[in-house]
Amino acid sequence: MKFDRRRFLGGTSAMVALLPLAGAAWGQAGGQAGGQAGGQAGPVARRTVRGAGGPIEIIDDSQGIPHIRAGTKPDAFFGQGYVVARDRLFQLDLSHRRSMGRMAEAFGPDFAVHDHAERLFHFRGDLEAELAVVPREVLECARGYVAGINARIDEVIADRTLLPPEYHILGALPLRWDVRDLVLARGAAIGNVDDEIRRARLAAMGMLDLDTLVAPLRPAWTLRVPEGLDVAGVSEADLGVLAQAEGALPFGTTPTPVRDPAGVRIERENAGSNAWTIAPGRSATGRAILANDPHLGIGGFAPRHVAHLTAPGLDVIGGGAPGLAGIMQGHTDRFAFGRTNSHNDQSDLFILELDPADPERYRHDGGWKRFERVEEVIAARRAPARTVVLRYCVHGPVLLHDPARRRATSLASVTMMPGAMGAFAMIAINLARDWEGLKEAFKLHPSPTNFHYADIEGNHGWQVIGHAPVRGGGHDGLLPVPGDGRYDWQGRFGAEKLPSEYNPAKGWFATANQNNLPADYRVPLAFSFREPYRYDRIVQVLTGQRKHSLADSAALQQDVLSTPARELVALIPAQVSAAATPAAAMLRGWDGQLGAGSAAGALFQILWAGLGKRVLDHVVPAQARELVPSIAAGELIRLLRARGAGMAGLFDDALVAAWEEAKRLMGDDPAGWRWGSLHQVRIAHPLARLPAIAAAFPAIEGGQSPGDNYTVNARWVAASRGYRTSGGASYLQVIDVGDWDNSLYLNLPGQSADPRSLHYRDHYAPWITGRMLKLPFSRGAVDADARGRTMLVPGDEQ
């Protein structure tokens, strides 16, 4: 999804400076997260809330999942907003405050540059007109969700012992929500325009062909410099305020940094997911199966919160994103649904020429156009407010305005277009009753996604959804373009023109972020599809099974066979030096399974990192190394194969170095080496740099992970960050379509963000071992598993 919530603690002093602002200490925070107690369900807790239309019952089960029963659909979404705020208020509030560009007012002036960037990407059109195009029922459910969040905020402000500990430590209070916020915030995201800048800089060096090493184009495509683009003038400075905000943001809402220490944008290789559907004819149950495991950052706030919403005409359960109304992956009483990232290219960088006589004008369509200017006042805690000027041109927000160079840049983004607010899409999907109803819901879904579907009638399907721009001038979106009018966007299109399949003859369908565009699909939709290793392994397993069971899906999600490892081992030179012999012997006897206990797996990862660096040093000129800091897995294998004997000495050196590094990291005795000892899973509060936060929120750690970036069990590895697991499938589901109570799930590390809760870390151990848990859905199963009951009663009292 392109809700840009993927940035983390940047290690600046901004948050340390907040410590003197602390209010009450941890011990004064008091209060247990609602519905989190263990044991059997006790007396019903009653809460009087504002904004609900009728009574709402919340049943918390043994895993902390809230099952919400309401008399109307909007009240069911009210209940979801309430329980998300109950379980994850600080995470929810931090994301909201950030998207509103209101961080500095709570946390100090160091956040003003971020607020500037976020406000630049606020929608500047008619908010009421935007709301008017949302279907009435969907909008009412969104209003319910917002009201539910506000109801919980009202409670904790009225009784501050209920505030999560962060607020007492930081001396802050949560920000109330408005449904118009869901239309206003569009997400300040660089997207892929830094890739465009890299290509322009390589072109200026005459080395554009090197781009394939770091970001191979899929499908294959010939890079061309757009007519009129001065590649020599392009630099990272063209990212303007977005680059400044990226560097200055002290913390975010997920644990993955934007870049690793080598400067590589981490998301490029890692962002993705796996999903597959199995038709009844290929299923051991005789019913369809849908499996999905979204890959997101691991190490900080959990990106999913599980909930069950029930009302007349609505029955849906699964994982949702805190702050986004509805369920993203799960099932209704009629169909299961899941998603993986698709890669529609939704943004372009335009280079503008400023009028030398008036820098508030830019060249366009043979004349000069004036920027639209908006002044915003950014309040800052314990510091003077500052006024910033936001500029907009025909393409979108202006990132850089540099009169001295007569230069400006603008980012065109699908998300800034009217009607491209994604906050209502999950509600519409949850309210749909069948495949045809989903097609209407997809119109509200701008983010590029492979949507998977399987229903109780035995149908299963796949549809690429999201909006894609219609580029003018034959532009393919791979390099920046002049903003003089030649390359202006001509509109957009959505799912109605994107690929899909319904009940494929082979009886299954899978996506793993690979290039899945049909061979005859001629629109240059995207070129950033991921390497096909995960997809190829899924296909190998599915086609090798006559009947596929729920257990088979759960096992496939945990599969750790590394195809790149097998390919690399096959390329070890037949003759190696004496010093390289121990490493070569260990790897030649290895089956390529990246289990947590594998010594060879640990050695392979160290070799892979070192060999990649050596190959880059060998093939990339020094002046281009900043622009090509990493090498794609497939390109590394290709180069080693193509250059054969020419790489033998380099390979030998890498084997020797890997063996020595393995001894340094894991000891002299190879019998004690384990991949998991390097690939550990540590989850800490994103603000754990602050001693008071670290003390209040103990890190969850000790687990050793198998897998890597290219196994189906995708557990991201960044050698430059010490091999720790930095991302992967924190939420997993395997849905038995129609016999819903058999469905399985995991949600790392648990439902609650409060360390006093039983559900702060209760999924950590099952997740480490891959032991899936049941996901109760029927009324009988939910009632049998009930551990707490809360009744929300409408009224004005608190």
Side-chain angles (χ1 to χ4, degrees):
M1 298 289 293
K2 207 162 189 172
F3 295 91
D4 186 38
R5 303 291 186 261
R6 297 182 178 179
R7 287 170 286 182
F8 179 56
L9 176 61
T12 75
S13 61
M15 289 311 300
V16 176
L18 292 178
L19 283 176
L21 306 179
W26 159 252
Q28 298 170 274
Q32 184 83 354
Q36 301 297 313
Q40 298 299 312
V44 177
R46 292 175 60 86
R47 302 280 186 269
T48 302
V49 294
R50 284 196 292 259
I56 302 166
E57 184 181 22
I58 300 167
I59 300 171
D60 291 286
D61 69 18
S62 61
Q63 302 301 318
I65 297 177
H67 301 263
I68 300 156
R69 296 171 180 170
T72 66
K73 296 171 187 174
D75 275 354
F77 283 91
F78 181 104
Q80 186 192 20
Y82 180 89
V83 296
V84 170
R86 179 197 70 183
D87 296 342
R88 305 276 190 88
L89 181 57
F90 186 74
Q91 175 186 4
L92 184 78
D93 180 44
L94 192 60
S95 176
H96 180 229
R97 186 175 286 280
R98 176 179 166 183
S99 66
M100 290 295 102
R102 295 179 62 180
M103 298 282 278
E105 70 180 41
F107 303 120
D110 286 337
F111 292 81
V113 66
H114 164 73
D115 290 345
H116 181 178
E118 287 290 344
R119 295 192 195 193
L120 181 63
F121 282 82
H122 283 179
F123 185 71
R124 296 296 167 182
D126 187 335
L127 296 186
E128 297 304 323
E130 289 285 277
L131 289 171
V133 304
V134 180
R136 182 190 58 80
E137 188 174 50
V138 172
L139 182 57
E140 288 307 307
C141 290
R143 293 187 192 279
Y145 182 80
V146 167
I149 292 172
N150 286 336
R152 179 59 180 178
I153 290 174
D154 288 343
E155 283 185 353
V156 301
I157 289 178
D159 180 359
R160 300 199 180 184
T161 65
L162 298 176
L163 275 169
E166 295 98 332
Y167 292 101
H168 296 281
I169 293 169
L170 299 175
L173 289 173
L175 188 66
R176 286 178 60 82
W177 290 48
D178 188 295
V179 73
R180 287 169 293 190
D181 298 344
L182 308 182
V183 174
L184 181 66
R186 299 300 173 99
I190 288 175
N192 67 351
V193 296
D194 58 341
D195 290 331
E196 297 179 21
I197 290 171
R198 181 191 65 250
R199 295 186 187 109
R201 290 187 62 193
L202 285 170
M205 296 178 180
M207 300 180 186
L208 188 52
D209 59 309
L210 293 179
D211 188 68
T212 189
L213 295 178
V214 66
L217 300 182
R218 303 181 182 92
W221 195 261
T222 301
L223 284 168
R224 294 185 178 89
V225 175
E227 182 181 351
L229 176 66
D230 175 17
V231 291
V234 176
S235 73
E236 280 72 16
D238 287 324
L239 293 173
V241 68
L242 281 184
Q244 297 168 30
E246 178 183 288
L249 184 65
F251 58 80
T253 59
T254 61
T256 308
V258 176
R259 299 179 188 273
D260 72 9
V264 180
R265 182 169 284 273
I266 293 172
E267 181 186 349
R268 177 182 296 122
E269 286 301 319
N270 297 323
S273 302
N274 305 314
W276 53 85
T277 52
I278 310 296
R282 293 290 301 271
S283 168
T285 67
R287 297 177 296 275
I289 294 173
L290 185 147
N292 188 202
D293 58 350
H295 302 163
L296 297 162
I298 291 172
F301 291 139
R304 292 288 179 267
H305 179 268
V306 182
H308 181 187
L309 286 64
T310 307
L314 173 69
D315 203 356
V316 61
I317 190 171
L324 184 64
I327 302 303
M328 295 187 70
Q329 285 109 348
H331 68 82
T332 71
D333 55 338
R334 298 190 56 80
F335 63 85
F337 56 99
R339 62 185 54 235
T340 67
N341 282 354
S342 182
H343 295 278
N344 311 1
D345 183 353
Q346 296 187 310
S347 57
D348 285 333
L349 186 68
F350 285 83
I351 310 297
L352 307 173
E353 177 190 351
L354 298 182
D355 181 353
D358 183 355
E360 293 301 322
R361 302 199 305 173
Y362 61 97
R363 188 182 298 280
H364 190 266
D365 277 348
W368 300 102
K369 282 192 171 67
R370 186 165 295 279
F371 291 113
E372 176 188 352
R373 287 168 49 104
V374 176
E375 290 191 354
E376 291 264 339
V377 177
I378 298 177
R381 183 170 185 169
R382 297 189 176 180
R386 67 178 68 175
T387 300
V388 296
V389 176
L390 311 177
R391 293 178 177 85
Y392 300 88
C393 67
V394 295
H395 310 106
V398 175
L399 307 182
L400 172 75
H401 184 254
D402 186 355
R405 297 176 59 207
R406 294 182 54 196
R407 185 182 186 85
T409 60
S410 177
L411 180 63
S413 172
V414 161
T415 61
M416 294 298 292
M417 291 181 164
M421 59 282 190
F424 303 97
M426 295 309 108
I427 299 173
I429 286 170
N430 296 168
L431 296 180
R433 303 296 289 166
D434 52 27
W435 185 246
E436 291 304 312
L438 283 167
K439 290 180 180 179
E440 286 299 308
F442 294 158
K443 295 177 182 178
L444 295 175
H445 195 295
S447 299
T449 301
N450 293 294
F451 189 88
H452 285 251
Y453 167 91
D455 67 28
I456 57 177
E457 296 174 353
N459 302 302
H460 70 122
W462 156 74
Q463 171 73 61
V464 179
I465 60 178
H467 299 167
V470 179
R471 294 181 167 89
H475 177 38
D476 55 21
L478 292 171
L479 279 87
V481 289
D484 56 14
R486 283 176 285 179
Y487 300 101
D488 287 8
W489 287 4
Q490 306 301 312
R492 67 182 176 194
F493 59 92
E496 71 282 356
K497 292 185 178 180
L498 295 173
S500 66
E501 280 200 48
Y502 194 69
N503 289 330
K506 62 190 176 188
W508 59 270
F509 195 89
T511 62
N513 318 112
Q514 82 290 357
N515 175 19
N516 54 15
L517 297 178
D520 60 353
Y521 192 80
R522 300 303 181 192
V523 179
L525 183 67
F527 300 97
S528 59
F529 293 99
R530 304 303 187 232
E531 306 219 43
Y533 292 119
R534 286 183 285 115
Y535 176 74
D536 290 346
R537 176 58 177 163
I538 292 167
V539 171
Q540 181 185 37
V541 171
L542 293 183
T543 56
Q545 295 171 329
R546 189 178 65 85
K547 294 287 186 179
H548 183 89
S549 67
L550 294 172
D552 289 331
S553 270
L556 183 52
Q557 287 180 334
Q558 302 297 325
D559 188 277
V560 293
L561 177 67
S562 171
T563 301
R566 289 188 167 184
E567 292 176 341
L568 187 69
V569 167
L571 294 173
I572 295 176
Q575 300 296 323
V576 298
S577 67
T581 296
M586 176 179 281
L587 291 170
R588 285 181 180 133
W590 179 45
D591 60 3
Q593 296 282 345
L594 270 174
S598 173
L603 179 63
F604 159 72
Q605 290 292 343
I606 296 169
L607 173 65
W608 182 265
L611 191 56
K613 184 178 185 303
R614 283 174 165 79
V615 170
L616 277 178
D617 288 340
H618 185 72
V619 301
V620 178
Q623 64 267 38
R625 279 302 310 274
E626 175 195 357
L627 299 173
V628 188
S630 66
I631 185 168
E635 288 301 298
L636 176 59
I637 297 297
R638 180 186 65 79
L639 283 172
L640 291 170
R641 283 177 178 158
R643 303 201 177 191
M647 292 284 190
L650 183 149
F651 214 134
D652 197 287
D653 290 345
L655 286 165
V656 174
W659 190 260
E660 292 304 312
E661 179 69 0
K663 289 196 296 183
R664 186 185 72 81
L665 292 172
M666 295 178 287
D668 289 338
D669 184 3
W673 295 356
R674 292 175 55 86
W675 170 225
S677 69
L678 301 180
H679 199 35
Q680 295 193 13
V681 183
R682 185 177 192 271
I683 299 174
H685 196 290
L687 307 189
R689 178 180 173 83
L690 302 179
I693 294 285
F697 294 85
I700 304 169
E701 55 191 335
Q704 300 188 358
S705 175
D708 73 355
N709 312 55
Y710 306 111
T711 58
V712 178
N713 183 14
R715 303 283 175 82
W716 304 350
V717 179
S720 56
R721 300 180 61 230
Y723 299 99
R724 181 179 291 166
T725 303
S726 60
S730 55
Y731 174 81
L732 304 93
Q733 65 178 26
V734 176
I735 307 298
D736 187 347
V737 180
D739 199 352
W740 307 114
D741 288 335
N742 287 331
S743 299
L744 306 170
Y745 88 111
L746 283 170
N747 188 33
L748 179 75
Q751 279 285 93
S752 176
D754 188 334
R756 298 165 296 183
S757 167
L758 297 175
H759 305 297
Y760 179 63
R761 58 168 298 156
D762 56 333
H763 278 215
Y764 182 79
W767 186 88
I768 292 292
T769 61
R771 178 174 61 86
M772 300 281 277
L773 304 173
K774 287 290 185 74
L775 183 63
F777 181 72
S778 68
R779 179 174 286 266
V782 170
D783 287 343
D785 197 37
R787 295 295 185 272
R789 294 178 184 268
T790 303
M791 185 67 71
L792 304 182
V793 181
D796 291 332
E797 299 178 11
Q798 292 298 312

